[in-house]
Amino acid sequence: MSVRKLTASLLTTLAMLGAIATGNAQDHVPPADPLAFDPDFQWFRPVYDMDLADMKPKKRANTGWFATYDRLALYASRPELEIAQDAETKLDQGWGHRYEIGYMLPDVEHGWMFTFTQLNGPGKRDVVATERLIRFGVVPDDDGENGPIIQGDGNTLGYDQRLYFVGDSVNVMDFNSYELNKTWRMEPYHYGGILEPFLGFRWARLNDYNSQQNYITTANGSALPDPNFGDDYEQLTTNSVITENEILAGQFGFRYVKFRERFTYSADFRGMVGGSLQTARSQRNVDTTTGIGDTPDNNFSSQTRALYDRNEEFVIGFDIRGELAYQLTKAIKIRTGVQVIDLATGIWRGGPVDPTGTNQEQGGSQDQDVVMVGATFGIELNR
């Protein structure tokens, strides 16, 4: 079965499940007042340990609207490139955000939940500051002597010489995820734990950026004189590939929560199955600069036509969270925790291995995994 047919089947199944859930809830539609969870908005009203000790777990599990925000510090695995020198077992840090909003109906103990996760980075690159052909943009002083270098002359800002920061990407990516889940709340267990299973859909996008740069110049002998550029010139070549993974997946999971005094312990598990629609865009840029000393430069830039490659893969993954929250007021908690996102199959990073010679030996597998793991810090409202 192709990925497109599988995606269509998943969407049809989710639509049927949603229709069944809607049909079962007809007796409760329209729902209660959306602001009924706290009509007086006393979010900061003090809460006392004695009140919490006398409150049963079912009463502590809030109903109505809720919202959370978490700051993410996640380490992501490096791409699996088709070279022996890659370091796919290492992790590099990125920063992100997670937003969650939803509601739980007070009488029937079910509702909806939307989650948005964003990870910016990692942005790990190996960079070397390389001295370019220096043009001393000097201005004579009043006494006729040469004055200071003029920054506007093209010298790198903050330096007394012109530099190229030549680098190769090591682990450069970003990740965005959107989730919509139908949730249910079960009766509390004997020791107070509450299970909240859910079923839904996840759309995610993982972009990988792979680039290599090479700098040559006649000043150090790495470039030979060229009749097109003269005896003195420099050239920076950049090969870049942007690989996009559009992930469409059905999702199932649960949240387990337990209360103890002011503390709330929770664990989330999400399993996902679906498809990844992949696109890689490859391109080469060449920047050439001529001239040396106080001779004005001439700049030449050339760019190859962008090459595209497409593919589809099957995706299996999971998302695990563990959190500890501390209740400050009636409706507000602060929390910290850990999170692991593992896209075990179906991710393409590094781009094509050799698209007509522009990216030789630097491409990556079209069916690799990505692991993101780290800490979270956040706040809850009526969760």
Side-chain angles (χ1 to χ4, degrees), residues 190-248:
H190 180 68
Y191 293 101
I194 299 176
L195 186 68
E196 297 179 357
F198 52 79
L199 181 67
F201 177 78
R202 180 185 287 231
W203 168 37
R205 173 180 292 172
L206 190 150
N207 293 334
D208 177 77
Y209 305 91
N210 186 24
S211 65
Q212 299 84 42
Q213 292 183 317
N214 183 47
Y215 174 75
I216 59 174
T217 174
T218 54
N220 59 19
S222 57
L224 299 176
D226 190 302
N228 295 318
F229 306 127
D231 293 336
D232 298 305
Y233 72 93
E234 62 184 358
Q235 196 170 77
L236 179 68
T237 302
T238 304
N239 294 322
S240 60
V241 182
I242 301 175
T243 311
E244 299 180 355
N245 297 267
E246 294 281 354
I247 302 167
L248 304 174

Side-chain angles (χ1 to χ4, degrees), residues 123-138:
K124 178 68 174 178
R125 301 176 74 243
D126 284 338
V127 178
V128 176
T130 302
E131 184 176 345
R132 300 177 57 183
L133 292 177
I134 301 175
R135 183 179 67 200
F136 294 98
V138 297

Side-chain angles (χ1 to χ4, degrees), residues 240 280-284 303-309 355-356 358:
S240 60
R281 180 181 184 274
S282 306
Q283 199 163 34
R284 169 177 286 180
Q303 188 178 73
T304 62
R305 182 175 62 88
L307 301 177
Y308 292 89
D309 216 333
T356 66
T358 63

